C-alpha cells in the first residue's frame, strides 16, 4: 500500500486530457493506487508529452477499449476499484460500455467521477470547447486583463485545473466519505464551467456590496489598484506588490524611500493614476535583488515575479521542498501536507502500457491468456 492519507484507495483512470489526469495525479500523490488505462497501440500517448508530470505516480495498462475483450478487462479492473475517472464528452463512456450504469452493475459501491467542459447535459453539452470557452461563459475570463484592453486567458489554470481537475478530486473524496455510511457509490458530475464559476464566488459578493464597481482592470485585485500590481525593475525583472492594508502600505513606502507625507491616500481611487506613476518610477530605480534586500524582514508585501522554472530555487520553496525532481523533471511536490500520513515523492510517469502484464496477472490472467489478448490486439 502506498503512503499517504489515501493509501488503500484504488482508482481506475480512463486516459484523457488535462483535468481528469490532474485529478488522478492529486489522488495518486496522496497515496491512492491509480491504474491508468491507456491505448493499446504502442506510443499512442494521449497527451504526447514525454515524462508528463500529470501522469506521475500510477501504473499504466495498454488496452484496446474498442473491443469487447478490452471493455471486459476494464470492467474487471473496476470491480476491484473504489473510483473510476473519465473525461470524455457526454455519452462516450456509455457507448464504450463503460458508463456509470454498466460499471455500477459490476460494482455498486464504486464512485464514478466524470469531468466535462459544459456538464453532462444542457444545450452545449455535446459542443467542443477548451478552457478559454468554459471560463468565458462562467464569468471568470472577463475580469482578467488591463483596463481598456481585451480579456487575457489566465493560462488554462482556472478551467482545466482549478475549476476542473481539483474540483473533480474534491467531489470524488466527498463521495468516498458519503459511501462510508451508505455503502453505495454514485456519479460525480464535474463541469469546468461550474467549477470556474465557483471560483468567482467572492467577486459576486464584492460586486453586490459595491466593492467591485469598475470595469476590467479598474478594481482592487485586478491590477486597477497601484498597490496591488506588478512593476518592472531597473534590470528588466518584475516584482509583485500587494500592500493593501495600511500598515503594509507604510512598510512599502519606507522600502521605496518615498515621502509618506507627500503621497496621496493609497485607497483613494481618484488618486490611483498619480500613485501608480510614483510607484513605477520609484521601483524602476532599483534592481529586483536590491528591492528584495530592502524588503527583507518587512511587511511591505513585495516579492519577485518568478517564472515557473525559477520558482524551485527561491529560498522559501527550497526550504519547504515545494518542488521535487521526478524522473529528471523538476515539478511541484504533492500538496497539502499531512503530519501523520505524509505523501511520498511520486514515482516517475510510467511508459504507456508498461504495467499491463503485472496488472492483468493480479486480475488472474495467466501467461496463455495474456498471449491471446496480445495476439488479438486487445492489450499492449
Amino acid at each position: 500500500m502506498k503512503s499517504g492519507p489515501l493509501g488503500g484507495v484504488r482508482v481506475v483512470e480512463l486516459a484523457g486530457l488535462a483535468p481528469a489526469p490532474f485529478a488522478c495525479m492529486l489522488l495518486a500523490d496522496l497515496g491512492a493506487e491509480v491504474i491508468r488505462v491507456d491505448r493499446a497501440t504502442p506510443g499512442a500517448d494521449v497527451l504526447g508529452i514525454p515524462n508528463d508530470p500529470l501522469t506521475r505516480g500510477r501504473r499504466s495498462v495498454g488496452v484496446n477499449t474498442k473491443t469487447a475483450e478490452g471493455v471486459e478487462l476494464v470492467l474487471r479492473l473496476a470491480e476491484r476499484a473504489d473510483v473510476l475517472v473519465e473525461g470524455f464528452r457526454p455519452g462516450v463512456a456509455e457507448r464504450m460500455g463503460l458508463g456509470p450504469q454498466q460499471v455500477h452493475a459490476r460494482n455498486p459501491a464504486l464512485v464514478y467521477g466524470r469531468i466535462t467542459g459544459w456538464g453532462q447535459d444542457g444545450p452545449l453539452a455535446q459542443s467542443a470547447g477548451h478552457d478559454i470557452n468554459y471560463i468565458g461563459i462562467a464569468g471568470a475570463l472577463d475580469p482578467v486583463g488591463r483596463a481598456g484592453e481585451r480579456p487575457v486567458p489566465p493560462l488554462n489554470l482556472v478551467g482545466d485545473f482549478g475549476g476542473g481537475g481539483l474540483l473533480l478530486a474534491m467531489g470524488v473524496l466527498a463521495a468516498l466519505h458519503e459511501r462510508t455510511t451508505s455503502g453505495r457509490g454514485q456519479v460525480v458530475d464535474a463541469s469546468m464551467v461550474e467549477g470556474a464559476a465557483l471560483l468567482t464566488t467572492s467577486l459576486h459578493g464584492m460586486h453586490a456590496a459595491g466593492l467591485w464597481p469598475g470595469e476590467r482592470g479598474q478594481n482592487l485585485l485586478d491590477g486597477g489598484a497601484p498597490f496591488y500590481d506588478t512593476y518592472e525593475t531597473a534590470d528588466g525583472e518584475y516584482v509583485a506588490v500587494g500592500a493593501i492594508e495600511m500598515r503594509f502600505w507604510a512598510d512599502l513606502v519606507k522600502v521605496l524611500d518615498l515621502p509618506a507625507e507627500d503621497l496621496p491616500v493609497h485607497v483613494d481611487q481618484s488618486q490611483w493614476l498619480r500613485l501608480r506613476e510614483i510607484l513605477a518610477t520609484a521601483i524602476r530605480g532599483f534592481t529586483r535583488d536590491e528591492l528584495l534586500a530592502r524588503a527583507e524582514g518587512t511587511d511591505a508585501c513585495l516579492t519577485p515575479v518568478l517564472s515557473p522554472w525559477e520558482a524551485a530555487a527561491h529560498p522559501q520553496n527550497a526550504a519547504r521542498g515545494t518542488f521535487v525532481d521526478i524522473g529528471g523533471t523538476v515539478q511541484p511536490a504533492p500538496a497539502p501536507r499531512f503530519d501523520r500520513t505524509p505523501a511520498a515523492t511520486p514515482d516517475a510517469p510510467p511508459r504507456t502500457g508498461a504495467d499491463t502484464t503485472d496488472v492483468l496477472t493480479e486480475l488472474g490472467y495467466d501467461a496463455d491468456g495474456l498471449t491471446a489478448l496480445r495476439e488479438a490486439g486487445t492489450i499492449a
Side-chain angles (χ1 to χ4, degrees):
M1 186 172 71
K2 294 173 63 177
S3 61
L6 294 183
V9 174
R10 292 178 173 178
V11 180
V12 175
E13 172 192 4
L14 303 185
L17 295 171
F22 183 60
C24 291
M25 184 201 82
L26 297 174
L27 298 176
D29 281 356
L30 299 186
E33 176 193 347
V34 180
I35 296 176
R36 179 178 168 92
V37 178
D38 282 300
R39 297 174 182 175
T41 305
D45 184 357
V46 173
L47 295 177
I49 302 174
N51 203 27
D52 185 1
L54 288 182
T55 66
R56 72 191 189 192
R58 57 264 239 182
R59 295 193 287 172
S60 169
V61 296
V63 181
N64 183 357
T65 54
K66 294 183 179 179
T67 66
E69 295 84 358
V71 171
E72 175 60 25
L73 193 156
V74 176
L75 288 172
R76 289 187 62 179
L77 287 172
E79 286 178 348
R80 304 170 65 246
D82 300 291
V83 179
L84 184 144
V85 171
E86 60 96 349
F88 307 129
R89 287 198 204 187
V92 171
E94 283 83 351
R95 291 193 294 273
M96 292 170 64
L98 296 171
Q101 288 187 343
Q102 293 135 325
V103 172
H104 282 149
R106 304 285 282 267
N107 183 356
L110 180 135
V111 172
Y112 193 106
R114 52 195 343 186
I115 177 76
T116 57
W118 314 107
Q120 292 295 316
D121 50 32
L124 292 177
Q126 292 297 330
S127 301
H130 284 295
D131 182 293
I132 193 170
N133 308 116
Y134 309 139
I135 69 174
I137 75 162
L141 176 58
D142 179 78
V144 183
R146 292 295 181 183
E149 298 182 10
R150 67 184 187 277
V152 177
L155 305 182
N156 62 333
L157 303 179
V158 176
D160 280 345
F161 299 115
L166 186 60
L167 198 69
L168 172 61
M170 188 192 74
V172 164
L173 297 179
L176 285 174
H177 173 73
E178 190 278 338
R179 192 182 68 169
T180 61
T181 55
S182 70
R184 300 172 59 194
Q186 60 181 306
V187 176
V188 179
D189 173 7
S191 151
M192 286 179 264
V193 170
E194 291 159 8
L198 193 63
L199 295 177
T200 70
T201 301
S202 68
L203 291 182
H204 288 272
M206 294 175 72
H207 183 266
L211 300 176
W212 198 269
E215 299 298 322
R216 179 185 316 112
Q218 300 176 10
N219 302 282
L220 179 64
L221 304 176
D222 59 1
F227 48 83
Y228 196 89
D229 206 349
T230 60
Y231 291 90
E232 187 174 6
T233 57
D235 52 349
E237 301 292 343
Y238 289 88
V239 292
V241 171
I244 300 176
E245 292 84 353
M246 188 60 211
R247 62 192 181 93
F248 301 156
W249 170 251
D251 273 13
L252 178 67
V253 169
K254 291 178 183 177
V255 166
L256 297 179
D257 276 341
L258 292 172
E261 64 278 4
D262 296 335
L263 296 177
V265 177
H266 79 297
V267 293
D268 181 356
Q269 191 166 357
S270 68
Q271 297 296 312
W272 278 3
L273 182 60
R274 178 187 167 207
L275 191 56
R276 178 179 300 281
E277 293 173 350
I278 293 172
L279 290 180
T281 299
I283 290 172
R284 275 198 303 269
F286 301 94
T287 67
R288 186 176 75 177
D289 288 347
E290 287 171 344
L291 275 177
L292 297 180
R294 296 174 66 88
E296 186 173 357
T298 75
D299 281 337
C301 298
L302 186 150
T303 54
V305 176
L306 303 176
S307 73
W309 341 122
E310 295 178 289
H314 188 277
Q316 175 66 24
N317 294 333
R320 291 272 295 175
T322 304
F323 293 81
V324 292
D325 187 315
I326 302 174
T329 300
V330 177
Q331 56 198 269
R337 303 179 183 214
F338 300 82
D339 67 344
R340 287 193 302 101
T341 57
T345 299
D347 294 330
R351 289 181 296 105
T352 299
D355 306 290
T356 304
T357 297
D358 289 344
V359 171
L360 268 61
T361 299
E362 293 169 8
L363 281 180
Y365 289 89
D366 59 19
D368 291 339
L370 293 174
T371 299
L373 289 172
R374 286 198 182 90
E375 291 177 347
T378 303
I379 62 173

